[in-house]
Amino acid sequence: LLNWMSTRKHTGLVPWENYQEVTTSLHTLLTPGSDQVEEWRQSFRSDKQTRVLFVDDSKSIRTYYKRLLERNGYQVETAESVKQAYDIAINTPIDIAIVDYFMPDENGYVLCQKLRDDERTENIRTAVITGTYLDSVIRDCLQAGAVECMFKNEAEELFLARLSAMRRFIEVQNSIEQQRERLQAILESVGEGVYGVDNDGKITFVNHATLKVVGVEDDESLLGMSAYNALHYTDENGHIDDHLRDAYGKESKLRCWETRFKHHSGKPIPVECTVHPLKLNGRQDGSVIAFRDISNQKMLEEKLRWQATHDHLTELYNRRYFESVLEQEIRDSQRTGIMSAMIYIDLDRFKYVNDTAGHETGDRMLLEISRVLSKVLRRSDVIARIGGDEFAILLKNVDPALAVNLANEYRSALNNISVTAGQQAYHVHASFGVAMMDDEDMTAGDLMANADIACHIAKRMGRNQSHLYDQGNDERNAMGTELGWSSRIRAALENGDFELHYQPILSMADINLSNLPAQDGAIWQSHLNDNGGAFHYEVLVRMRGENGELFYPSAFMPTAERFNLMMDLDMWVIENALKQVAVSGNPRGKVALSINLSGHSLDDDEAQSNIIHLLQKYNVPPSSIVFEITETSAIANLEQANGFIRELCSIGCRFSLDDFGSGFCSFAQLKNLPTSLVKIDGQFVKSMARGATDRAIVTAMNDVAHSLGRYTVAEYVESPEVIRLLKICGVDKVQGNYILSLIHI
């Protein structure tokens, strides 16, 4: 009968004595999913034999049942008394104990009690077996902890069926325990902190990572505690993060919430939390909180903020920060009436030092200048490096006479500096321009322009001089200079005195890192020899003077911006670059150009239509053009810039965010502007081989760009070492003197 029944999924055996179980069995057989429950039980069923302890004072009965059980796959131990059985249960792993009720010394229910009350044996399932049915026997056994009552005169099949039911219970219980241990192991292996709270915000569980972050050795000190009191950090003002506490036990989720937890030592720990509601049977049953320690991330952010306000070489403040300080000082001066001044410092003949002694000597000179100036400055003065060989100093609470005296004092200190390269000593001389905050309507830009003008006048006076800006005379002189430059720019646009230079941009995938040549340009030459290669260039503009001298953008761009000539210059560059692509034939569209666009063009309604017209005129695929914009030009009118970019992107052009990382707000601009590439600021790239900080910053910027779906380009690549470091960082493309300096067509 049992064999026949085992072949039928919807058949169950119910002994006549247990007729009350018929309705339950029918319900189980007719309930959909019961097969899955049995399959689930079997999937967790252990391959190990169930271990049975059979206790009876009769040797023949012990022998009979031992053989019966072993034939049916059980592992059997036997005992003839309560004491012997108890000793076996303590020293041998037992799953089920079947105990004879009537025995000479002590009855079986005594053993049931002992097994139940001893923590070493409390998990053993016990059953009493007897030869006669008595209500008192059954009552005593159940009260003593037995879960089943068997009879010696019942059929073997029924006995085995009862035992099989007990075994299934043990297997299910073991599987549940295995699942619990498995989940606990998973929880402990998670690198992030995880803890749970009930609806009242009390901690119900924590994993090891949580204990490690908060500096607690075991969970006993946290379980049952209010998470608000146990984990949340209270600052010196008594403020605690209520937003996280309000999310405990609620149905709403909280994602990526930054707050601070408290370490056992009392120190705050910056963390990022995510709160998920925990529901059991459709009912809210607290929350699960996952968090991670973001101390390293915060440290990197601080480094990035520091880098955004400081010069990487001299560690002085940079131009961006200095301009913000000037704006604040001007406001304070206008409010209080206390006058301040600015000194603009331009080193004399610094290019000669770089060209003859090399950039390393030039860097050492800049570092020594920074050290000396920082040492002699007054405590209230603020110094910054605002250009390659240009410095600026803010002088607070000075009149014109004191400002000039301080400028001469600082200039004299620089005259004592000399830097040796080989057998040659290079001395430092500089021109100082001083400008006062003496105009109510003055801006930081006005003040810097005045100081710059004064500095240029000091250079014309013979260099190594100090000059105080005089609005009446100096402005006319400066205007004459500016007007002269503006006329030269207009003439160059009309006469074609501008010329284009090209710097290659090479994909990192095309570089063989195992065989990097030492000489500059060799990599590009190898790439040219590969007929299957594609070519990408950045377009750079230069201006030829009357005597054939070559002027870099720093010489004419400021004037072009001041006299609104930038859009004309941008259009000249774009048209002539597209013309050269058209003349070359651009075989199979392999040539791509990166062209810089100024903020003036981004803000001009005609620039967009002019660019589209030029692309059509020279039949150049828009997909081969990448327009590079700086964050400052985009920030001026973000909405206008977005519209401009999206319109040209719609026809196939691409955009790149130039000088990425030069300001901390670059990260915000990267999210807001629809660019496809970012160019990492070269000041970080060229210093990667000299310090871990710049490597970490380049890595962080590259990861941020990639996470937002942008490709990355690193500029100022000047050595094989930098190439290898950029490969480790994951940068996509590179350009710089090591790849190739410039090509003039």
Side-chain angles (χ1 to χ4, degrees):
L1 180 63
L2 286 172
N3 290 334
W4 172 81
M5 182 191 71
S6 64
T7 63
R8 299 175 58 84
K9 291 184 178 180
H10 300 289
T11 299
L13 176 67
V14 182
W16 177 251
E17 303 93 293
N18 301 329
Y19 65 89
Q20 298 94 336
E21 299 178 4
V22 169
T23 54
T24 304
S25 298
L26 282 173
H27 178 74
T28 302
L29 294 173
L30 296 174
T31 300
S34 61
D35 294 341
Q36 287 78 1
V37 173
E38 179 60 26
E39 290 173 5
W40 177 81
R41 288 175 177 174
Q42 291 182 6
S43 66
F44 290 105
R45 183 167 294 165
S46 173
D47 293 333
K48 295 182 180 179
Q49 290 180 308
T50 304
R51 295 156 300 192
V52 176
L53 172 60
F54 191 87
V55 186
D56 197 292
D57 60 319
S58 170
K59 182 178 180 180
S60 60
I61 293 178
R62 292 199 306 271
T63 302
Y64 167 75
Y65 278 101
K66 178 178 174 64
R67 292 174 177 172
L68 174 64
L69 292 170
E70 288 178 342
R71 285 200 309 270
N72 287 273
Y74 294 94
Q75 183 179 334
V76 183
E77 296 284 343
T78 61
E80 61 181 354
S81 66
V82 170
K83 182 180 183 306
Q84 185 184 19
Y86 184 61
D87 291 339
I88 292 174
I90 290 176
N91 298 302
T92 306
I94 298 296
D95 297 313
I96 299 173
I98 303 175
V99 185
D100 183 20
Y101 183 82
F102 295 105
M103 286 191 292
D105 296 329
E106 294 176 296
N107 285 334
Y109 75 88
V110 176
L111 178 60
C112 295
Q113 288 177 330
K114 285 187 173 185
L115 297 179
R116 179 195 63 189
D117 298 338
D118 192 324
E119 62 180 11
R120 295 170 294 180
T121 58
E122 61 183 1
N123 292 324
I124 296 176
R125 302 278 290 178
T126 58
V128 172
I129 188 167
T130 182
T132 58
Y133 178 89
L134 292 173
D135 289 340
S136 59
V137 169
I138 297 176
R139 182 179 65 251
D140 291 345
C141 294
L142 296 178
Q143 290 177 351
V147 297
E148 183 64 271
C149 187
M150 303 176 178
F151 299 96
K152 295 178 181 178
N153 58 356
E154 66 187 0
E156 290 181 354
E157 291 79 3
L158 183 56
F159 170 81
L160 293 172
R162 292 177 186 273
L163 189 60
S164 179
M166 295 177 66
R167 181 181 62 185
R168 285 197 301 272
F169 180 88
I170 292 172
E171 289 172 344
V172 171
Q173 189 177 43
N174 289 340
S175 70
I176 293 173
E177 181 63 20
Q178 290 172 10
Q179 283 290 83
R180 188 196 66 79
E181 292 177 356
R182 178 172 173 270
L183 292 174
Q184 183 66 26
I186 293 173
L187 190 63
E188 292 300 331
S189 66
V190 173
E192 296 184 349
V194 180
Y195 66 94
V197 295
D198 59 20
N199 289 337
D200 296 324
K202 293 182 179 179
I203 299 175
T204 56
F205 67 86
V206 296
N207 70 341
H208 180 72
T210 300
L211 302 178
K212 184 177 180 181
V213 170
V214 300
V216 177
E217 293 185 0
D218 58 72
D219 58 6
E220 294 299 326
S221 59
L222 296 178
L223 295 180
M225 292 281 293
S226 166
Y228 181 71
N229 296 326
L231 300 177
H232 294 214
Y233 178 75
T234 306
D235 61 19
E236 56 274 10
N237 299 319
H239 176 263
I240 302 181
D241 185 358
D242 291 328
H243 195 69
L244 177 59
R245 179 179 66 171
D246 292 342
Y248 291 156
K250 302 296 190 300
E251 293 188 3
S252 58
K253 296 180 180 179
L254 185 64
R255 295 184 181 276
C256 302
W257 178 256
E258 290 190 12
T259 184
R260 291 184 296 176
F261 283 174
K262 62 182 176 184
H263 191 268
H264 183 64
S265 63
K267 296 188 301 182
I269 307 164
V271 296
E272 183 182 78
C273 300
T274 298
V275 181
H276 286 277
L278 178 62
K279 291 189 176 182
L280 295 177
N281 300 322
R283 180 176 56 85
Q284 183 73 27
D285 194 36
S287 303
V288 176
I289 300 89
F291 70 93
R292 61 188 183 95
D293 184 347
I294 55 174
S295 299
N296 291 335
Q297 175 183 324
K298 288 298 180 183
M299 288 175 60
L300 179 57
E301 287 180 2
E302 287 301 318
K303 286 182 180 179
L304 291 173
R305 289 191 179 94
W306 187 93
Q307 196 74 46
T309 58
H310 289 74
D311 172 60
H312 73 286
L313 175 63
T314 64
E315 297 188 355
L316 300 177
Y317 290 120
N318 60 16
R319 185 186 190 101
R320 180 187 302 275
Y321 179 80
F322 187 77
E323 289 178 350
S324 67
V325 171
L326 280 187
E327 291 284 4
Q328 184 60 48
E329 185 63 23
I330 289 172
R331 290 193 293 268
D332 293 344
S333 178
Q334 292 170 348
R335 187 183 70 254
T336 62
I338 298 175
M339 190 176 296
S340 297
M342 174 191 160
I343 300 176
Y344 195 105
I345 305 171
D346 192 353
L347 303 184
D348 297 331
R349 303 188 186 280
F350 181 72
K351 187 176 185 297
Y352 170 77
V353 177
N354 271 339
D355 291 344
T356 57
H359 288 280
E360 183 178 347
T361 302
D363 287 350
R364 285 195 289 117
M365 181 176 284
L366 293 173
L367 286 169
E368 186 63 16
I369 291 170
S370 304
R371 186 190 67 80
V372 170
L373 286 177
S374 298
K375 185 176 180 180
V376 300
L377 290 182
R378 303 179 305 165
R379 182 172 297 180
S380 60
D381 296 342
V382 179
I383 183 172
R385 182 188 179 198
I386 59 175
D389 60 345
E390 298 166 337
F391 296 83
I393 301 174
L394 170 62
L395 304 175
K396 297 185 178 182
N397 192 16
V398 293
D399 57 22
L402 178 57
V404 173
N405 288 338
L406 289 172
N408 286 326
E409 178 184 335
Y410 300 158
R411 186 168 52 82
S412 298
L414 294 186
N415 289 338
N416 296 323
I417 299 175
S418 66
V419 178
T420 303
Q423 302 298 320
Q424 179 72 34
Y426 297 90
H427 296 275
V428 175
H429 299 291
S431 299
F432 280 56
V434 184
M436 305 301 298
M437 294 183 188
D438 53 2
D439 189 341
E440 293 183 357
D441 299 324
M442 178 175 287
T443 65
D446 296 333
L447 183 62
M448 293 188 73
N450 293 345
D452 188 15
I453 291 170
C455 183
H456 281 287
I457 293 174
K459 282 186 176 293
R460 291 205 299 269
M461 291 167 56
R463 296 189 176 88
N464 197 23
Q465 303 283 329
S466 298
H467 181 77
L468 177 65
Y469 177 77
D470 179 3
Q471 184 173 2
N473 296 319
D474 296 346
E475 193 171 51
R476 285 195 295 272
N477 292 334
M479 185 58 70
T481 302
E482 292 287 332
L483 289 172
W485 267 110
S486 67
S487 299
R488 295 169 72 177
I489 293 171
R490 288 188 174 93
L493 288 170
E494 293 174 1
N495 302 328
D497 290 334
F498 285 107
E499 59 185 47
L500 299 182
H501 293 238
Y502 300 85
Q503 185 171 59
I505 300 174
L506 191 58
S507 174
M508 190 69 80
D510 294 330
I511 300 176
N512 182 7
L513 295 178
S514 62
N515 187 27
L516 289 177
Q519 64 272 28
D520 293 350
I523 285 182
W524 182 250
Q525 188 59 49
S526 174
H527 183 66
L528 286 177
N529 294 334
D530 181 8
N531 294 328
F535 309 105
H536 187 178
Y537 303 91
E538 180 179 2
V539 182
L540 303 170
V541 64
R542 305 288 186 260
M543 188 174 77
R544 285 288 176 187
E546 295 178 356
N547 300 320
E549 67 272 30
L550 195 64
F551 291 104
Y552 285 79
S554 58
F556 56 83
M557 284 291 189
T559 302
E561 290 178 350
R562 181 173 296 185
F563 286 86
N564 295 321
L565 296 172
M566 282 305 303
M567 181 179 167
D568 295 331
L569 184 56
D570 283 349
M571 293 303 114
W572 188 94
V573 171
I574 293 172
E575 179 165 13
N576 283 271
L578 296 179
K579 185 187 299 182
Q580 289 187 355
V581 171
V583 170
S584 70
N586 190 15
R588 298 186 299 279
K590 288 186 176 181
V591 176
L593 297 180
S594 289
I595 303 174
N596 291 278
L597 269 186
S598 67
H600 293 76
S601 295
L602 285 175
D603 292 337
D604 196 297
D605 295 333
E606 294 183 5
Q608 188 182 102
S609 57
N610 288 343
I611 292 172
I612 295 174
H613 169 71
L614 290 173
L615 288 168
Q616 295 171 343
K617 177 180 177 181
Y618 294 104
N619 194 28
V620 174
S623 59
S624 64
I625 303 300
V626 179
F627 291 110
E628 295 191 5
I629 59 173
T630 62
E631 71 169 38
T632 51
S633 64
I635 292 171
N637 190 338
L638 185 59
E639 184 176 351
Q640 177 81 12
N642 259 308
F644 185 98
I645 295 172
R646 293 186 189 281
E647 183 65 27
L648 288 181
C649 284
S650 67
I651 66 170
C653 295
R654 293 175 292 164
F655 280 78
S656 172
L657 184 63
D658 199 7
D659 296 334
F660 180 57
S662 60
F664 194 70
C665 55
S666 297
F667 291 93
Q669 297 308 312
L670 184 60
K671 289 197 301 183
N672 294 328
L673 293 172
T675 56
S676 56
L677 296 96
V678 295
K679 184 172 286 187
I680 299 173
D681 193 357
Q683 65 173 323
F684 306 116
V685 175
K686 65 182 181 181
S687 302
M688 288 179 68
R690 296 202 297 263
T693 300
D694 288 304
R695 291 200 295 271
I697 291 172
V698 171
T699 301
M701 290 189 290
N702 183 74
D703 291 345
V704 169
H706 281 176
S707 69
L708 296 174
R710 272 58 161 191
Y711 294 100
T712 52
V713 182
E715 57 184 356
Y716 286 71
V717 176
E718 298 179 351
S719 68
E721 291 77 13
V722 171
I723 285 279
R724 292 188 179 95
L725 292 172
L726 289 170
K727 179 66 174 180
I728 295 172
C729 294
V731 170
D732 300 306
K733 298 184 178 184
V734 290
Q735 70 178 106
N737 291 338
Y738 177 68
I739 306 301
L740 190 65
S741 178
L742 289 176
I743 301 173
H744 173 53
I745 301 177

